[in-house]
Amino acid sequence: MKEHDCDILVITETWYYENETVYFGIDGYNGVHSCRETRGGGTSIYVKSSIRYCSETVSNKEKTFNYVSIDLVNNDV
């Protein structure tokens, strides 16, 4: 099996509760999560620790959508 070195990994339908995200970390990555108040849905973005970014999370309490977005910061500095 070939290994891949991803800079950013996006996972949808995570089904995490907010208090569970600490259990789903990936070594070498920072996680940004958008969780619903009830089980189901959810989005997570894992960004390699060496990459600088800003994040925004939006959750809709009516359970129709939620998202998380990141903006990469100039990493050449």
Side-chain angles (χ1 to χ4, degrees):
M1 177 192 280
K2 183 178 178 181
E3 288 189 31
H4 297 280
D5 186 21
C6 299
D7 290 332
I8 299 171
L9 176 65
V10 179
I11 302 173
T12 62
E13 295 298 325
T14 56
W15 287 44
Y16 302 159
Y17 287 119
E18 191 68 40
N19 65 336
E20 295 176 325
T21 60
V22 297
Y23 302 114
F24 298 100
I26 299 175
D27 288 341
Y29 291 81
N30 296 314
V32 182
H33 311 279
S34 178
C35 304
R36 293 195 177 155
E37 291 182 6
T38 59
R39 184 64 78 186
T43 305
S44 293
I45 300 177
Y46 293 91
V47 181
K48 190 179 279 188
S49 298
S50 60
I51 297 175
R52 294 177 25 211
Y53 66 92
C54 298
S55 65
E56 174 187 10
T57 302
V58 173
S59 294
N60 181 328
K61 297 195 186 293
E62 275 127 41
K63 200 177 174 182
T64 55
F65 72 90
N66 66 329
Y67 73 83
V68 59
S69 67
I70 61 169
D71 290 319
L72 299 179
V73 178
N74 185 350
N75 286 282
D76 293 334
V77 203

